[in-house]
Amino acid sequence: MDPMLTPLDEVLERVDSRLLSPQTDVRIWTTGFPLLDDALGGGLRAGTLNLLAGSQGEGKTTFALQIARQCAKAGQPVVFFSFELEAEVLLQKMIAAEAAEYAAESPVSVYQVRAAFEGTDGGAGGLPERLGRYNGGLDALAAISEFAPLLHVHRSTTTSTNLDVIARTVKDVTAQHGHPPLVVIDYLQKVRPREPMEEEQAVTHVTERLKDIAIDSDCPVLSISASDRAGLEPGQRMRARNMKGSTALAYEADVVLILSNKADIVARHHLLYAANNGANFREYSVLTVDKNRSGRTGAEVEFRKQFTSGRFVPEGSVVSEDLVDERVFVK
């Protein structure tokens, strides 16, 4: 019998078994951002393709890495395919982000962690001795050491990390830990098919295969997506249609999240009458749920940036200001 063909009585038995022993079958991966989890109906679901898009420098990698760290802290395996940054750089950001949760004042920054890693911080000894000089540094190192075996970083390249490599790696991590991981791709347009293709065709092929991997592996795939030029023009609010490469991105994805600088998308009257011409808006990113097959679409929540600590403050708030597609809007 075709393994893809499932009688409904088996589905009923599987669901009943899962409810009776929930620890044996993870179906939802919480993101660590309570308002986002609420908008998504609990978090990222098994078998789904989730896209995170936004303009350059808005913190897409930071946001995705924060979700990965929170999943690992919750005891769930993660595999992070990084086409942009090396594992040490990602670890530095995680240590600084973790330290911010332990130290209320002046936690160790990403730059200080980097200096400790490189031995240019003026200290001596190993990481514990060097990071112990800073607020939250030693606590962060101890915490990350606890869940570090669950978080795997794959140093990916466009020439060697194809879809077969991704699928095989996910399978290996699943076998190692006994249940499927959260899969993070940073970023989708860097993944190349085995055969040469035009860009739009290639993005379509990669998107469809990543969705297949999510379904076959019974895990969520969270992929960062680059935007095209239209999504980067001043005064233009990015939407799913602005993701670079193919309409398949918006069509195949189960969830589309858009990160935007708040100062770029608030209505004009907020900038005119806000203190300092709305300079404080630049300290926040707005996350828009542009598509959500498992819940409500259109949720708009804001998170304060703490990029010196390599993170967003996870306790966000619902956006109260008017947000617009075009800056010419006047209330």
Side-chain angles (χ1 to χ4, degrees):
M1 180 179 290
D2 187 344
M4 303 301 287
L5 187 65
T6 305
L8 286 183
D9 63 327
E10 290 187 12
V11 177
L12 289 171
E13 291 178 7
R14 184 172 66 231
V15 173
D16 192 52
S17 176
R18 183 172 71 240
L19 292 173
L20 293 173
S21 302
Q23 71 278 4
T24 64
D25 189 7
V26 178
R27 302 298 300 173
I28 297 178
W29 282 249
T30 57
T31 67
F33 294 95
L35 284 178
L36 175 57
D37 287 336
D38 180 64
L40 297 179
L44 306 177
R45 281 174 161 72
T48 62
L49 174 60
N50 308 269
L51 299 182
L52 174 63
S55 58
Q56 184 176 359
E58 199 51 40
K60 299 184 295 296
T61 297
T62 296
F63 200 89
L65 185 63
Q66 193 161 340
I67 292 175
R69 180 171 61 91
Q70 291 301 323
C71 285
K73 288 179 70 173
Q76 297 164 341
V78 178
V79 56
F80 196 109
F81 293 89
S82 179
F83 289 85
E84 298 283 281
L85 301 174
E86 295 181 353
E88 282 198 14
V89 176
L90 295 175
L91 180 56
Q92 292 162 13
K93 292 167 71 73
M94 283 193 290
I95 290 174
E98 192 73 23
E101 297 186 9
Y102 288 95
E105 296 184 3
S106 304
V108 60
S109 69
V110 174
Y111 311 105
Q112 290 168 329
V113 175
R114 182 178 304 148
F117 268 61
E118 296 173 350
T120 59
D121 60 328
L127 277 178
E129 291 78 17
R130 292 175 184 272
L131 293 178
R133 301 162 55 217
Y134 302 104
N135 289 343
L138 201 55
D139 289 329
L141 185 61
I144 287 179
S145 296
E146 289 293 321
F147 63 79
L150 290 169
L151 211 164
H152 306 262
V153 176
H154 186 283
R155 187 62 177 102
S156 306
T157 67
T158 55
T159 56
S160 63
T161 312
N162 56 36
L163 290 157
D164 291 337
V165 170
I166 292 174
R168 184 169 62 249
T169 303
V170 172
K171 184 177 180 180
D172 290 344
V173 172
T174 300
Q176 178 180 344
H177 295 283
H179 51 92
L182 166 68
V183 178
V184 182
I185 311 289
D186 186 15
Y187 58 93
L188 184 145
Q189 285 80 4
K190 287 278 190 178
V191 183
R192 304 303 303 171
R194 177 174 292 179
E195 302 296 329
M197 298 181 185
E198 297 293 330
E199 182 178 22
E200 182 171 345
Q201 184 182 6
V203 171
T204 297
H205 178 74
V206 169
T207 304
E208 292 173 346
R209 280 292 308 277
L210 288 179
K211 178 66 178 290
D212 290 343
I213 289 172
I215 294 172
D216 293 342
S217 302
D218 203 27
C219 69
V221 173
L222 173 62
S223 181
I224 293 173
S225 175
S227 61
D228 63 18
R229 294 182 62 185
L232 302 175
E233 293 175 0
Q236 174 70 45
R237 186 176 179 185
M238 184 178 178
R239 293 296 191 183
R241 62 180 177 271
N242 299 125
M243 291 186 293
K244 184 179 180 182
S246 170
T247 56
L249 284 165
Y251 178 77
E252 292 288 343
D254 298 283
V255 172
V256 177
L257 306 173
I258 308 290
L259 264 181
S260 305
N261 188 307
K262 186 176 180 179
D264 292 338
I265 64 172
V266 294
R268 182 180 174 185
H269 59 280
H270 294 302
L271 295 176
L272 292 176
Y273 300 112
N276 299 319
N277 294 321
N280 62 308
F281 292 148
R282 299 187 184 93
E283 299 176 8
Y284 292 84
S285 288
V286 173
L287 186 73
T288 302
V289 182
D290 208 47
K291 178 181 179 181
N292 182 15
R293 281 186 174 147
S294 300
R296 57 192 173 95
T297 296
E300 293 166 332
V301 293
E302 62 184 25
F303 299 100
R304 190 180 187 93
K305 304 173 186 176
Q306 276 191 346
F307 287 176
T308 56
S309 293
R311 72 170 198 155
F312 290 86
V313 177
E315 294 75 28
S317 59
V318 176
V319 178
S320 59
E321 293 84 1
D322 297 314
L323 302 180
V324 296
D325 284 332
E326 299 292 344
R327 180 53 52 77
V328 295
F329 173 88
V330 180
K331 188 172 182 179

